[in-house]
Amino acid sequence: MIEQSVSPPQQGPPPRGGTRLPVRADAARYLILAVVFVCAACGLVYELELVALASYLIGDSVTQASIVLSVMVFAMGVGSLLAKRLRCRAAFGFGLLEAGLALLGGCSALVLYAAFAWIGEARYALVGFSLAIGILIGAEIPLLMALIQRFSQQEADRTVADLFAADYVGALVGGLAFPFLLLPSLGQLTGTLLTGAVNAVAGGTLVLSLFRRDLTRRLRWVLVTVNILVLAVLATAAVMVGDFERAARRAVYGDGVRVAVQTEVQEIVVRGGPGPGGGGSAEPLELYLDGRLRVSGRDEFRYHEALVHPAMRGPRARVLILGGGDGLAAREVLRYGDVRAVTLVDLDPEVVELARTDPALSALNGHVYDDPRLRVVTSDAFTFLRGERGADGAPGAYDVILSDLPDPGITPSTKLYSEEFYGLAARILTPGGRLAVHAGSPTAQPRTYWTVDATLRAAGFGTRPYLAAGRPSGFAAGPDRTKDGSPAARDWGFMLARPGGPPRLALPTDVPALRSLATGPLEAGARGAELTRVRGLPASTLVHPRYGE
C-alpha cells in the first residue's frame, strides 16, 4: 500500500514540503498522466510482442500466452513491492526504470529470435524477458504516484483514479496499435524497437524537464547519458534489422533462401529450386509457412497423392479444395479428365500468387492456375463453408471436398477441425460425396489425430483413417525435432469420411506407401480421443496436446 500524507483543505504548501516546478501544478499533473498513458501503451506492446513471437517461434499460442501473461502479472506485483525502495529518489528511479524498460522491451524481439535461430531454444529467454519487463512495469505506478503527490493537493483516491484511468486507456491504445499499425507498417522487430525509443523519450523527458531540480548535476548527467546510450542501441539495432533478419533466416533455413515475405496472414519463405531468370539453388524446392515446412520438392507427391486419390474414387465432377494455395492438391485433382470444376479456397492471396508466378513452384504444380477449370476464392475456409450453397441456393454442390489445411495441432487452426466445420462441409456434399482431411501424424500426435476422427464421427461422418509414410514434417529446426523440441512426424495421417456411414477406402496401386490403419488401433484411438474433449463444452472444443504426448 502506498502511504501518503493528506493535505489540509486550506491554501498552503503541498505535501512533503512541496516541489518547485517549472510549470503550473495542473500542467505538471497532466504531463505526468500523459507519460503514464504512453508508458502503458508501450508496456502492452511489449507484452503482445512476446506472446506473438513466442507463438510463432515455439507454437501453441494458448500455452505461450498463458506463460507470458501469468509471469508478467506476477512480476508486476514484485515490481510494485520493490518500488518502495526507490520512493526516496522517485524521480531518478523512474528515469532509470524507463530507460531499462525501453532497452529490454525494445530489444526483446531481437533477442528471442536470435535465441531461436542460433541456439534453437527460446523458452528461457521468453520467461526471462516476461519476468524482467513485468517487474519494471509493476514499479511504474508506485513511483509515479510518489511524484504526482509531491505537488498535487488532490485526495489520494482521486490521484489513484487518474493514474489508473490514464494507464488503462494507454493500454487500450497500445493493444490496438500493435496489430493494426506497428505490425503491418513496420514489422515485429522494427515496431518493437520504435516502441522502446518512444518509451525512453517519454520517461526521460518527464524526469529531466519536470523534476530536474530534484536531481543533482551528477544524477542529471547519469540519466542523460543512460538515455542517449539506450536510444543509440535501439537506433543501431533498427538500422541493422534487415541484416539481422537475413542472417537469422540463414541460421534457421540454411542457404538458398530465394523468397522471404511477411504477408498479412503469415510469413512465406521459399528456398531451393530455380528462381526467376534461372538463378537459385539446385536443391529441391522447400516452402515454409510461418516457419513450418509445408512443401518439399523431394516427396510432396506422397502427401498430395495420399490426400487426393482415395477421395476421388467415385463421382468427382465438382471438387472443393480448402487450403492448398500452393496448387499441388489441385494438380492431382485435375489429372482426372472428368473433373469439370475445381474451387480452391485459400486465406492468403500471396501464396496463390507465388504458386502462380514462381518458376520452381509453378513448375512443381504443373502450372495448374492456367487451367480454366480452376477457380480461386480468397477467404477463410470456415467463412466460405458457412456461406456456400449449391445450385438455386440449395445445399449439395460438391462431390469431393479436400481439406488441405494447417496442421490440427496448431491452436489457431482448431476451428477448421471442429464439429461445426465438418457439419458445414457435410451440408454442401452431394449424396455419396467424400471428404478427405489431413489430420496430423498418428504416430507423433496420436491424441490430436484421433480427436479429428472423433469429431468427424460426432458430425455424422463415417470415417476410415489412413496414413502415408514420408519425411519428418514440422518446423525448420532440423530433421528429427520440431522447433518446440518435440519429435518430428515421419508420416502423414488422413481421414477419409462420408456422411452417414463408413466409406469403402480404395487404396491407389500407384501409391505404395499408402496404408490403412488397423481396426484395433482405430477403436483404441477413438476411445482415447473421446477423453481429449473438455467435458461440458461443445463437441468442437478440442484439447490439442503438445506434440509427443
Side-chain angles (χ1 to χ4, degrees), residues 322-339:
L322 302 175
D326 50 51
L328 298 170
R331 176 198 65 195
E332 297 300 319
V333 170
L334 292 171
R335 294 186 190 277
Y336 295 89
D338 54 349
V339 172

Side-chain angles (χ1 to χ4, degrees), residues 8-88:
Q10 69 273 13
Q11 295 293 325
R16 306 187 191 279
T19 294
R20 296 174 60 193
L21 298 172
V23 296
R24 294 177 55 185
D26 287 343
R29 176 173 165 273
Y30 286 120
L31 179 58
I32 289 180
L33 294 179
V35 171
V36 171
F37 173 89
V38 172
C39 291
C42 294
L44 198 65
V45 169
Y46 302 146
E47 185 175 327
L48 295 175
E49 168 264 321
L50 289 174
V51 172
L53 193 57
S55 301
Y56 169 68
L57 297 179
I58 304 173
D60 191 355
S61 59
V62 171
T63 299
Q64 308 317 318
S66 299
I67 291 173
V68 171
L69 295 178
S70 58
V71 171
M72 287 193 75
V73 170
F74 164 76
M76 288 167 65
V78 174
S80 65
L81 293 175
L82 295 178
K84 291 180 179 180
R85 299 178 179 272
L86 298 175
R87 285 176 59 86
C88 58

Side-chain angles (χ1 to χ4, degrees), residues 41 45 48 172-192 194-195 198 264:
V45 169
L48 295 175
L172 170 67
V173 173
L176 295 177
F178 180 72
F180 297 115
L181 178 62
L182 294 177
L183 279 182
S185 59
L186 297 175
Q188 198 158 24
L189 301 183
T190 304
T192 310
L194 176 63
T195 302
V198 171
E264 294 183 0

Side-chain angles (χ1 to χ4, degrees), residues 291-315:
R292 297 171 177 86
L293 180 58
R294 181 65 176 166
V295 172
S296 173
R298 293 182 177 88
D299 58 2
E300 57 77 21
F301 65 92
R302 292 179 181 271
Y303 170 90
H304 293 99
E305 290 180 359
L307 172 69
V308 173
H309 295 303
M312 297 296 285
R313 295 324 197 242

Side-chain angles (χ1 to χ4, degrees), residues 218-508:
R218 177 175 173 274
L219 293 182
R220 286 199 297 269
W221 276 108
V222 168
L223 282 183
V224 169
T225 303
V226 168
N227 277 277
I228 290 176
L229 290 175
V230 168
L231 290 174
V233 170
L234 295 175
T236 303
V239 171
M240 298 180 66
V241 158
D243 294 334
F244 172 83
E245 289 181 332
R246 285 188 289 272
R249 286 196 189 100
R250 283 196 299 271
V252 174
Y253 300 105
D255 295 327
V257 173
R258 295 192 293 105
V259 178
V261 179
Q262 179 66 54
T263 73
E264 294 183 0
V265 178
Q266 60 200 336
E267 182 190 54
I268 304 173
V269 173
V270 178
R271 67 180 300 273
S281 171
E283 296 181 5
L285 176 139
E286 292 181 347
L287 171 66
Y288 295 87
L289 301 180
D290 274 346
R292 297 171 177 86
L293 180 58
R294 181 65 176 166
V295 172
S296 173
R298 293 182 177 88
D299 58 2
E300 57 77 21
F301 65 92
R302 292 179 181 271
Y303 170 90
H304 293 99
E305 290 180 359
L307 172 69
V308 173
H309 295 303
M312 297 296 285
R313 295 324 197 242
R316 56 198 179 204
R318 299 195 64 199
V319 179
L320 172 63
I321 302 174
L322 302 175
D326 50 51
L328 298 170
R331 176 198 65 195
E332 297 300 319
V333 170
L334 292 171
R335 294 186 190 277
Y336 295 89
D338 54 349
V339 172
R340 296 201 309 267
V342 178
T343 300
L344 188 150
V345 180
D346 198 280
L347 181 61
D348 194 344
E350 296 199 39
V351 172
V352 174
E353 183 64 19
L354 181 69
R356 189 194 306 270
T357 59
D358 183 78
L361 188 52
S362 61
L364 194 61
N365 65 36
H367 303 280
V368 70
Y369 287 104
D370 296 334
D371 194 311
R373 294 176 291 172
L374 179 62
R375 177 175 71 102
V376 178
V377 177
T378 300
S379 174
D380 171 71
F382 198 103
T383 303
F384 176 84
L385 291 182
R386 179 176 287 170
E388 185 69 356
R389 285 288 190 273
D392 300 325
Y398 298 100
D399 300 301
V400 178
I401 298 177
L402 304 171
S403 181
D404 186 16
L405 293 166
D407 194 283
I410 305 170
T411 305
S413 66
T414 301
K415 72 174 183 178
L416 305 179
Y417 293 86
S418 66
E419 183 179 350
E420 289 84 357
F421 182 80
Y422 295 132
L424 293 173
R427 187 186 64 170
I428 61 172
L429 277 172
T430 58
R434 285 87 61 206
L435 168 66
V437 178
H438 165 230
S441 169
T443 55
Q445 309 165 48
R447 292 177 62 188
T448 299
Y449 179 82
W450 293 112
T451 296
V452 175
D453 170 73
T455 305
L456 279 164
R457 291 186 292 106
F461 284 86
T463 62
R464 177 68 66 87
Y466 65 100
L467 61 83
R471 55 165 165 77
S473 60
F475 302 102
D480 298 318
R481 310 293 290 180
T482 66
K483 70 179 178 182
D484 68 348
S486 305
R490 293 185 177 273
D491 53 34
W492 295 292
F494 305 90
M495 293 286 170
L496 182 60
R498 187 173 65 192
R504 296 179 61 186
L505 177 62
L507 296 180

